[in-house]
Amino acid sequence: MTESPNEFVVPEVRRLDATQADFLATLDVLLTLESDTDRAIVERVDEILRAVRATGDAAVLEYTRRFDGLDALAMVELELPRTEWEAAWRALSDAQRAALEVAAERIRRYHERQKAEGWMVEEADGTRLGLKVTPLDRVGLYVPGGRAAYPSSVLMNAIPAKVAGVSELIMVTPTPHGERNPLVLAAAYLAGVDRVFTIGGAQAVAALAYGTQTIPQVDKIVGPGNAYVAEAKRRVFGVVGIDMIAGPSEVLVLNDGSGNPDWVAMDLFAQAEHDELAQAILVSTDRAFLERVQESIARLLPQQPRRAIIAQSLANRGALIYAPNRAAAIAIANRVAPEHLELAVEDPEAWEPEIRHAGAIFLGHWSVEAFGDYCAGPNHVLPTMRSARFSSPLGVWDFQKRTSLLAVSREGAAKLAPIAGLLADGEGLAAHAASARFRG
């Protein structure tokens, strides 16, 4: 039985103080998330991958029967015709259709600026060196299905792929007991997806990675999923490319004492409501502001429909942190390397240049993270679990590959041959050295 707002007990969010000697050790414990995958998941995924690789469609049909309650006799029954996506698009309300169109256009415009072009330079001796940029041929897009479906994820994954020039985009989405999400299908229609199959789980990842009698093998798999999907993506990496292994959603808010504490509290809720392992942290240089945010949490949380999840998330991994100055606050942000970083400060442009590690940075009190999730334009597929230290948001570059071009002139070969030969000798590779010297 769900507690009423009046019965709900609001938790006191953990407090940390960056001036304390043990602060960094405590912070690191807070940031650590046990990432070992459950052995049962690993074993089940291994079984599914081997079965799909061995028998293709038959295995996918069997697992779809078992896990999603769809009793299809052939894979053709699990492929949705384009007319059904278009019907979903036409059936939307005018407001829904307009919202998706505006979001899609903003996402497309932003990502068109990312498209890389090849180049070629010529040296004085006539040698030409360059880079060829080509799109991937075929990409698989995994989209969670049923009630937990996100049309925004369809737009964020499909549109950059199409901007990059991907020829074929195949979407897989589970439809447990035939439950289809019309917004997801409408988003697929709008974003230019080419084929849609109503399959999910590790079996869908396996079908995309290895190919079956009906589903062609793709070059890369993108999109979020549950623990089985994540493990399957991890296992097939190398056979195909993947976008990333995403962890729970994260937000870090940096604050200088300015702004509305109610806004900040709601921004923390917006991350925490994803699930109990999501992380929402506020760092402020003003102790009084931290108190005001805690008061806002106490007042606003009981009214939230997902208050139980938010409360558990804040209790598990949330924190209100005092930093003595801007430098200390920024140092914390760079250590955390959050998925989302809100600069809820008076002068965000003064803070932003010092931020080195973040998936996305939201500058100023009006730049709420929820805009980035849906419609601002930048991609919402972002590195988590401190991987922003070395990783980047999903973009057009994830759907393009680069090939080196070398056109060495006769004069250039004469210069390079002795150099290559000497280096090859040093590595003990005689054939390399001879191959180079033949051109000299």
Side-chain angles (χ1 to χ4, degrees):
M1 183 175 176
T2 304
E3 291 176 307
S4 71
N6 292 333
E7 298 170 332
F8 185 76
V9 178
V10 176
E12 184 78 18
V13 182
R14 135 188 330 101
R15 301 292 186 92
L16 299 178
D17 188 330
T19 65
Q20 298 297 312
D22 63 347
F23 169 70
L24 290 180
T26 304
L27 177 64
D28 287 346
V29 170
L30 179 65
L31 298 178
T32 300
L33 182 66
E34 185 58 55
S35 60
D36 288 344
T37 305
D38 186 279
R39 177 52 51 185
I41 293 176
V42 172
E43 291 174 355
R44 175 58 62 87
V45 167
D46 183 63
E47 170 205 316
I48 292 170
L49 294 182
R50 284 189 283 105
V52 173
R53 193 167 197 173
T55 64
D57 283 354
V60 175
L61 288 167
E62 172 57 29
Y63 288 122
T64 301
R65 251 183 241 114
R66 192 186 307 178
F67 300 139
D68 291 340
L70 294 180
D71 194 14
L73 298 177
M75 283 295 294
V76 67
E77 298 175 47
L78 298 179
E79 181 171 5
L80 291 182
R82 185 176 295 273
T83 52
E84 188 161 339
W85 327 344
E86 184 174 2
W89 170 254
R90 303 294 177 201
L92 295 180
S93 68
D94 290 344
Q96 287 176 316
R97 198 178 305 113
L100 280 178
E101 285 177 330
V102 171
E105 179 56 27
R106 292 183 66 92
I107 294 165
R108 185 174 289 104
R109 277 204 317 268
Y110 180 87
H111 286 84
E112 281 174 349
R113 292 179 175 272
Q114 298 177 347
K115 193 171 182 180
E117 303 292 341
W119 50 268
M120 181 75 82
V121 296
E122 184 169 343
E123 298 183 341
D125 61 15
T127 294
R128 292 178 296 123
L129 304 173
L131 190 72
K132 180 178 181 178
V133 179
T134 52
L136 303 184
D137 291 335
R138 184 182 292 121
V139 168
L141 168 55
Y142 190 98
V143 179
R147 290 189 176 89
Y150 303 102
S152 59
S153 286
V154 178
L155 301 182
M156 292 289 182
N157 284 273
I159 291 175
K162 285 301 180 179
V163 169
V166 171
S167 300
E168 188 174 18
L169 184 57
I170 298 175
M171 186 174 100
V172 293
T173 183
T175 56
H177 304 289
E179 183 179 358
R180 297 170 184 172
N181 188 292
L183 273 174
V184 163
L185 297 181
Y189 175 79
L190 178 61
V193 169
D194 295 289
R195 299 176 75 181
V196 176
F197 289 89
T198 58
I199 60 175
Q203 63 271 22
V205 174
L208 293 171
Y210 304 129
T212 72
Q213 294 85 348
T214 303
I215 299 174
Q217 182 184 40
V218 303
D219 303 310
K220 191 167 194 173
I221 300 172
V222 299
N226 63 19
Y228 291 90
V229 171
E231 178 60 20
K233 286 172 66 178
R234 190 194 313 274
R235 293 289 299 280
V236 301
F237 175 65
V239 177
V240 295
I242 62 172
D243 48 358
M244 63 184 74
I245 303 296
S249 194
E250 310 158 355
V251 70
L252 176 68
V253 181
L254 293 190
N255 173 265
D256 59 359
S258 65
N260 188 324
D262 284 1
W263 292 15
V264 172
M266 198 60 67
D267 292 355
L268 299 177
F269 294 171
Q271 268 333 280
E273 75 174 346
H274 278 290
D275 61 64
E276 291 86 348
L277 292 178
Q279 186 155 67
I281 296 174
L282 167 63
V283 178
S284 181
T285 57
D286 186 333
R287 292 186 190 274
F289 190 84
L290 295 174
E291 295 297 336
R292 291 198 293 274
V293 170
Q294 178 61 57
E295 292 168 3
S296 295
I297 289 172
R299 178 166 39 82
L300 298 173
L301 182 53
Q303 310 307 317
Q304 292 300 301
R306 295 171 69 84
R307 55 187 173 269
I309 293 173
I310 294 170
Q312 192 61 55
S313 172
L314 291 176
N316 287 343
R317 307 189 66 221
L320 304 179
I321 301 175
Y322 169 70
N325 50 50
R326 186 176 88 179
I330 290 174
I332 293 169
N334 284 324
R335 192 179 187 92
V336 173
E339 178 187 17
H340 308 100
L341 175 63
E342 288 190 6
L343 295 180
V345 298
E346 194 66 39
D347 185 9
E349 283 74 16
W351 292 54
E352 182 273 326
E354 299 177 61
I355 301 296
R356 299 192 312 279
H357 308 307
I361 303 173
F362 299 80
L363 287 82
H365 296 296
W366 298 97
S367 302
V368 62
E369 185 274 328
F371 292 158
D373 275 348
Y374 296 107
C375 56
N379 210 286
H380 78 193
V381 181
L382 301 168
T384 60
M385 297 176 65
R386 304 191 67 226
S387 62
R389 295 173 296 122
F390 54 82
S391 190
S392 306
L394 187 77
V396 172
W397 43 69
D398 288 291
F399 302 101
Q400 293 178 315
K401 58 188 179 68
R402 292 154 294 283
T403 304
S404 301
L405 298 174
L406 302 87
V408 181
S409 68
R410 185 168 186 170
E411 183 182 349
K415 293 177 182 177
L416 295 177
I419 298 170
L422 187 64
L423 294 173
D425 286 340
E427 294 184 355
L429 299 175
H432 279 69
S435 176
R437 288 180 175 128
F438 279 167
R439 270 74 177 180

